[in-house]
Every structure is written in structure tokens, then in C-alpha cells.
């Protein structure tokens, strides 16, 4: 997930920049956490952070001060639900390369479906947050089981308990994960099976490359 965002997206793409922001915040918190125990190591790490403009050390800039903006209701449950579905998917393909598959997630309308929609607004996507978590080449989110399912598809079922607002909102939802071999070719740039030809980048990568040429 990190490698795809950092190395495949355009330099100023919000997905790439948001990933960098999370890594920077995580590094800051980790360094401040072990500073009282490993002061010299923490100070050295702090001095080599390239984007810090002040020269003060870790002990002169205060304790951990995480922004409340990081706490968003429902996002933790959305990620945990997506990870549960990913585990079902990976378990159904028995150690094979997840990128060689496309995934169809079927959830009845309800809270779990709404949480997954927050991770993927489109019905089908190869670049959504949900697809990145699933680690597949493409993910489709449906509220009804598809009328036609290939004979070589793997179908797994599961349930996920949503617990929001300290237990005030509880809902157990069932889901189905359909995994089937992807029909497209491997993109030589992002390595996902989303290209029309193995010698040509996928549409997303072509767009990023074109944007890069235009900015030079």
C-alpha cells in the first residue's frame, strides 16, 4: 500500500502527500516516545529529519501532541472491516499472488456497506483505499450478489461486528468476498494487472506519466 502510493502516484498527488504526512506523524510520535529511554538515539534521529526547519532538539520541543483531527469516527471500524475481508480473500487464494485477482465484495445495505463506501466511492476501482487494503488489482463493491459468477471464482463468507460511539451503535453485518483471476495484463510500472498489454502502462500510470512530462 505504501509503495504503491509513494512510488506510483504523481509527486503532488493528495494520496501520496497524505501517505507522507502519516509517516511523518508516526515518526515524530515514535521518536518522542522512546526519547526518555534512548535520549541520544532520539536526538540523532530528530536532528536528521529533513523537513524540520527548527534547530531545537527533541527535548526542547515538548511531548507528544497528536492533533485531534486524526480521530475520525468510523474510520477505525472501516479499516478493521476491510482488513477482515482482505483476510478472507487472501485465505481463499492459498498463498497465491493477490495482484493476479480481482475482488468482488458483496454487503447488504447497512452500516458496514456505508463504511466501505467511505473507502471506495466508485463501484469498481483499482486505485481506491479499499482496493489498496485488499491488495488486489481491482475491487468491486456491491450490495447484491452478481447474477453471473465465473466457475473459477472463490467465494468466502464472513461477519463483522461494528461497535461505534462506545457501544451505543452496534451492528453485525455479513459479507461475501468473491475472488477471481483477473483478465488484464500486468502493468510494467505499477505491477498491477490493469493494463491492456504487458508492454504498455495501465491508464492510471499513463495519466501520471503524462502529468509528469507536462510539469517539466
Amino acid at each position: 500500500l505504501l509503495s504503491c502510493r509513494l512510488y506510483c502516484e504523481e509527486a503532488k498527488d493528495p494520496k501520496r502527500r497524505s501517505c507522507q504526512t502519516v509517516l511523518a506523524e508516526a515518526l515524530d510520535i515514535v521518536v518522542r516516545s522512546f526519547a526518555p529511554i534512548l535520549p541520544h538515539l532520539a536526538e540523532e534521529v530528530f536532528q536528521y529529519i529533513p523537513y524540520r526547519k527548527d534547530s531545537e532538539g527533541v527535548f526542547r520541543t515538548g511531548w507528544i501532541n497528536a492533533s485531534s483531527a486524526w480521530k475520525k469516527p468510523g474510520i477505525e471500524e472501516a479499516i478493521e472491516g476491510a482488513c477482515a475481508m482482505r483476510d478472507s480473500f487472501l485465505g481463499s487464494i492459498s498463498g497465491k499472488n493477490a495482484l493476479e485477482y480481482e475482488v468482488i465484495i458483496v454487503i447488504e445495505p447497512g452500516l458496514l456497506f456505508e463504511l466501505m463506501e467511505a473507502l471506495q466511492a466508485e463501484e469498481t476501482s483499482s486505485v481506491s483505499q479499499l482496493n489498496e487494503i485488499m491488495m488486489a488489482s481491482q475491487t468491486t463493491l456491491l450490495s447484491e450478489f452478481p447474477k453471473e459468477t465465473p466457475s473459477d471464482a472463490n467465494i468466502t463468507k464472513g461477519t463483522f461486528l461494528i461497535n461505534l460511539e462506545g457501544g451505543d451503535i452496534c451492528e453485525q453485518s455479513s459479507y461475501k468476498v468473491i475472488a477471481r483471476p483477473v483478465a488484464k495484463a500486468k502493468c510494467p510500472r505499477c505491477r498491477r494487472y490493469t493494463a491492456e498489454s504487458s508492454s504498455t502502462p495501465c491508464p492510471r500510470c499513463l495519466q501520471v506519466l503524462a502529468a509528469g512530462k507536462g510539469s517539466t
Side-chain angles (χ1 to χ4, degrees):
L1 190 155
L2 293 179
S3 62
C4 185
R5 286 195 173 195
L6 290 174
Y7 301 115
C8 294
E9 299 292 354
E10 188 181 353
K12 295 183 179 180
D13 188 280
K15 291 182 181 179
R16 184 175 185 273
R17 296 305 303 270
S18 66
C19 182
Q20 292 176 313
T21 300
V22 170
L23 291 175
E25 184 75 9
L27 176 62
D28 185 86
I29 291 175
V30 169
V31 172
R32 294 181 191 277
S33 297
F34 67 66
I37 305 171
L38 300 169
H40 298 292
L41 176 59
E43 189 65 34
E44 184 176 3
V45 172
F46 209 74
Q47 293 297 329
Y48 277 92
I49 295 177
Y51 46 83
R52 290 199 64 87
K53 297 182 179 180
D54 56 73
S55 59
E56 292 186 333
V58 64
F59 294 102
R60 291 180 178 272
T61 54
W63 185 234
I64 297 171
N65 186 26
S67 172
S68 59
W70 292 101
K71 184 64 175 178
K72 293 185 177 180
I75 192 64
E76 181 178 353
E77 288 73 17
I79 299 298
E80 289 180 350
C83 288
M85 297 174 198
R86 180 193 61 194
D87 292 343
S88 297
F89 161 54
L90 295 178
S92 71
I93 61 175
S94 303
K96 296 179 181 178
N97 184 2
L99 288 174
E100 296 180 358
Y101 289 82
E102 61 176 307
V103 174
I104 301 174
I105 300 174
V106 184
I107 310 171
E108 293 184 357
L111 187 54
L112 181 59
F113 186 85
E114 293 175 3
L115 290 176
M116 293 305 105
E117 279 189 315
L119 300 178
Q120 178 169 303
E122 309 89 348
E123 183 176 284
T124 300
S125 178
S126 61
V127 297
S128 67
Q129 296 180 70
L130 179 59
N131 187 67
E132 289 178 342
I133 294 172
M134 296 303 293
M135 300 168 60
S137 279
Q138 179 176 284
T139 297
T140 299
L141 180 62
L142 300 175
S143 59
E144 295 181 351
F145 199 85
K147 295 180 180 179
E148 297 183 3
T149 305
S151 58
D152 58 349
N154 298 320
I155 303 175
T156 56
K157 300 179 181 180
T159 59
F160 182 74
L161 178 62
I162 301 171
N163 193 332
L164 293 172
E165 305 294 337
D168 292 338
I169 302 175
C170 290
E171 182 177 301
Q172 182 162 310
S173 301
S174 59
Y175 61 84
K176 298 181 181 68
V177 178
I178 305 170
R180 61 186 184 189
V182 71
K184 293 189 176 182
K186 181 193 287 187
C187 173
R189 183 174 181 271
C190 69
R191 320 303 289 178
R192 287 179 175 170
Y193 289 78
T194 52
E196 299 300 328
S197 168
S198 58
S199 60
T200 305
C202 66
R204 187 277 299 269
C205 287
L206 286 173
Q207 183 178 355
V208 172
L209 291 171
K213 291 180 181 178
S215 61
T216 56

